[in-house]
Amino acid sequence: MCGIVGIVAQGRDVGYDLYEALLTLQHRGQDAAGIATFDGIMHLKKGIGLVRSVFNEKNLARLRGSAGIGQTRYPTIGRGSPEDAQPFYVNYPHGVAMVHNGNVVNFTSAKDELQRIHRRQLNSTSDVEVILNVFADELGHKNSSTFSADDLYEAVAGVFRKVKGAYSVVALLGDGSLLGFRDPHGIRPLVMGRKDGMVAFASETVTFDFLGFEFSCEVEAGEAVHVSTEGKVSHRQISHARKKPCIFEWVYFARPDSVIEGIGVIEARRRLGKVLARKCTKRGITADVVVPVPDTSRPAALALARQAGWKITEGLIRNRYIQRTFIMPSQPKRKSSVRQKFNPVRSELKGKRVLLVDDTIVRGNTALELIKLIRQAGAAEVYYAVYGSPLRFPCVYGIDMATHEEFIAKSHTEKEIEDIIGADRLIYQDFEAMVEAVRGRKDINFCTACFSGDYPTKVSEAEIEIIAADRNLKETQEEADYEE
């Protein structure tokens, strides 16, 4: 899962706008960041680390041009090395730079075909390089000194035929225009906005709120959108597959102040909290205080407390200078970070029956450490309520849950998990209730693969094993680096 952005303006540089846009998307990736701009030549700056550490006044001044793209990276496939940072650039045909959000399922076979048959030497383990080279190869078949919007759309159709998985893409072209497109199922989000003749793509609407853009539309599943240097927009629906946006965006990943597919993230989480409250009371739970696990679960916890008539309090204080533990690349970093990230408020917890509210349980490590913290603060009982249903299946579409072994709910019952994490009671959201709560009044079908095992694209067990092997290798390398 990554954050991507693209902006076309007229008569002004967009480098600093792209930088500010990436700050709004920092929650989507904390491994690397990069920006490319165009003013007749392509300017590129990227590196490992948070947005503020990659960019400074000097290198932002160098990013001149009235069009550009940017990305904040969260590694799934690949080593997460400097070579994997986006944007990527090829000079033929016409010059194309590209960023993406998602994951290419057939990365290994597609990369092999590009190198063996099409003689394109790929220099990274980042899957956007596959998308970029497939796109460039398709566009290069035109053998023309210029390209039209139709040429671009035909090249995107070639990407859809050859690249499997989830990908929202923004490309900066050699004439200073932008091209955005979403995979045929629209698994990853991509939205458009406008402001004073400027046009922008972004992963989430919160970027538009911050930059003062007006939301224009969603880029539809299987759709490609071209924005000329003058800001003229053209659309082409290339694929008509069934849209299946990832439900995990609303459950965990997206910012609460974003709107995706017309569904407000904060409203969806409130509905999830209300439904979970009814299940808690039905199960005979009575809490003295409800404590959200900051920050994602706060809207759901507040709604749960109001629905059940219980007091809510900030019983855990988060150190905001620690990264999101879920997307940390290795197990040792995740476990040590839990203690660094949270501190209990003893005066709010001592002697109380505490209901902790969290979004999901993946491996169980965070839940185990949090319950220990709450008990050490003097809580009489600790209940753990999860507003997402049990995670059981690998995500192959861009969330770093790539192996069966990572899911505690895959091989343990709810009662066994309750014992493992040390909770007095564990309450999971029901799957159907979760889906209906996120959907609200919208007629929409979600990708629920990590919860249900229902993958929108055809995914072979061999492909899952390849992704899992890559994930295990990356984690082993990270653990070795951590121990050093």
Side-chain angles (χ1 to χ4, degrees):
M1 195 79 72
C2 305
I4 60 174
V5 63
I7 300 176
V8 169
Q10 297 182 56
R12 57 166 292 179
D13 290 334
V14 297
Y16 193 76
D17 293 315
L18 291 164
Y19 167 74
E20 290 193 313
L22 291 184
L23 290 175
T24 70
L25 299 172
Q26 186 72 87
H27 62 288
R28 298 186 68 87
Q30 301 167 2
D31 180 72
I35 291 174
T37 59
F38 183 81
D39 68 348
I41 63 173
M42 199 74 73
H43 305 282
L44 178 63
K45 169 61 182 175
K46 58 182 179 178
I48 295 296
L50 301 178
V51 175
R52 288 189 183 275
S53 66
V54 172
F55 299 101
N56 56 40
E57 185 177 353
K58 183 178 179 179
N59 57 46
L60 281 172
R62 185 172 58 81
L63 294 171
R64 298 181 301 273
S66 58
I69 58 176
Q71 195 236 29
T72 178
R73 175 172 162 79
Y74 155 58
T76 49
I77 278 181
R79 298 181 298 268
S81 62
E83 291 80 14
D84 291 339
Q86 300 182 32
F88 276 73
Y89 174 73
V90 293
N91 61 6
Y92 177 82
H94 313 295
V96 184
M98 185 175 284
V99 293
H100 99 306
N101 169 33
N103 200 62
V104 174
V105 174
N106 63 328
F107 170 79
T108 302
S109 59
K111 180 178 180 179
D112 177 67
E113 180 177 326
L114 283 165
Q115 296 185 144
R116 181 171 47 84
I117 299 176
H118 300 279
R119 299 181 182 179
R120 287 182 169 269
Q121 181 60 44
L122 276 63
N123 194 47
S124 76
T125 56
S126 176
D127 45 355
V128 73
E129 196 177 15
V130 165
I131 302 173
L132 173 59
N133 278 274
V134 170
F135 175 80
D137 190 66
E138 292 287 326
L139 191 60
H141 291 164
K142 300 300 178 182
N143 292 319
S144 173
S145 59
T146 61
F147 59 85
S148 66
D150 286 339
D151 294 335
L152 298 175
Y153 296 147
E154 288 176 17
V156 172
V159 172
F160 287 171
R161 288 192 300 270
K162 296 179 179 180
V163 180
K164 294 171 58 179
Y167 45 91
S168 288
V169 174
V170 183
L172 174 60
L173 306 171
D175 64 346
S177 64
L178 291 185
L179 177 70
F181 57 92
R182 284 174 82 184
D183 70 82
H185 293 283
I187 296 171
R188 295 284 156 241
L190 188 64
V191 292
M192 290 184 63
R194 295 175 180 269
K195 172 189 174 183
D196 301 331
M198 301 169 68
V199 180
F201 294 98
S203 291
E204 296 186 29
T205 59
V206 65
T207 302
F208 300 153
D209 296 338
F210 186 80
L211 296 181
F213 279 66
E214 289 291 326
F215 169 76
S216 176
C217 64
E218 306 270 349
V219 176
E220 289 298 325
E223 182 184 36
V225 182
H226 181 243
V227 184
S228 72
T229 55
E230 295 81 24
K232 181 181 178 181
V233 178
S234 66
H235 300 251
R236 177 74 59 84
Q237 189 67 42
I238 296 170
S239 170
H240 297 275
R242 191 181 190 187
K243 181 192 288 188
K244 298 283 286 269
C246 172
I247 198 170
F248 210 68
E249 291 280 355
W250 289 272
V251 172
Y252 173 80
F253 231 98
R255 274 179 51 154
D257 42 349
S258 285
V259 178
I260 302 174
E261 301 289 348
I263 302 173
V265 176
I266 194 168
E267 288 82 9
R269 290 177 186 166
R270 285 172 179 161
R271 291 193 294 269
L272 286 164
K274 288 181 180 178
V275 173
L276 186 59
R278 290 193 283 269
K279 184 169 184 180
C280 287
T281 54
K282 187 176 181 180
R283 295 272 296 272
I285 299 293
T286 302
D288 297 315
V289 291
V290 175
V291 174
V293 177
D295 287 319
T296 309
S297 65
R298 189 171 281 116
L302 181 59
L304 184 154
R306 287 177 175 171
Q307 180 73 24
W310 299 330
K311 176 185 174 182
I312 187 167
T313 187
E314 294 292 338
L316 283 169
I317 303 301
R318 178 186 173 189
N319 182 344
R320 299 186 183 278
Y321 300 97
I322 301 295
Q323 300 177 31
R324 299 178 90 173
T325 54
F326 177 86
I327 63 176
M328 284 188 164
S330 67
Q331 188 80 323
K333 287 185 178 181
R334 283 189 294 265
K335 292 181 74 172
S336 67
S337 184
V338 172
R339 289 282 181 169
Q340 299 168 14
K341 185 177 178 181
F342 299 109
N343 192 54
V345 182
R346 293 179 178 273
S347 60
E348 298 295 307
L349 305 172
K350 189 173 182 179
K352 305 287 181 57
R353 294 170 295 180
V354 177
L355 178 72
L356 279 173
V357 178
D358 206 351
D359 45 75
T360 51
I361 297 177
V362 184
R363 307 161 188 89
N365 299 312
T366 298
L368 173 65
E369 295 299 324
L370 287 175
I371 291 169
K372 286 181 181 177
L373 283 177
I374 299 299
R375 291 200 188 281
Q376 289 167 6
E381 294 183 6
V382 184
Y383 315 129
Y384 211 87
V386 185
Y387 66 78
S389 69
L391 289 162
R392 294 193 174 98
F393 300 93
C395 176
V396 298
Y397 300 127
I399 298 172
D400 203 6
M401 302 182 296
T403 67
H404 290 286
E405 293 76 16
E406 289 184 290
F407 301 104
I408 192 172
K410 181 67 176 178
S411 55
H412 296 88
T413 66
E414 185 171 319
K415 182 66 176 73
E416 288 171 340
I417 298 170
E418 182 178 278
D419 294 336
I420 291 169
I421 66 176
D424 290 293
R425 297 286 297 278
L426 171 64
I427 307 94
Y428 267 117
Q429 186 85 273
D430 294 328
F431 173 77
E432 293 79 8
M434 176 188 69
V435 172
E436 290 304 313
V438 174
R439 181 181 288 139
R441 297 181 179 179
K442 288 286 182 178
D443 182 16
I444 188 169
N445 294 289
F446 302 106
C447 171
T448 61
C450 55
F451 298 102
S452 65
D454 181 15
Y455 295 94
T457 65
K458 292 181 179 179
V459 183
S460 69
E461 191 60 37
E463 287 169 330
I464 291 176
E465 290 303 317
I466 289 171
I467 294 171
D470 179 90
R471 174 70 180 83
N472 287 334
L473 177 61
K474 179 159 65 78
E475 180 147 321
T476 300
Q477 292 170 339
E478 289 284 347
E479 288 178 2
D481 292 343
Y482 180 80
E483 289 171 359
E484 289 178 6

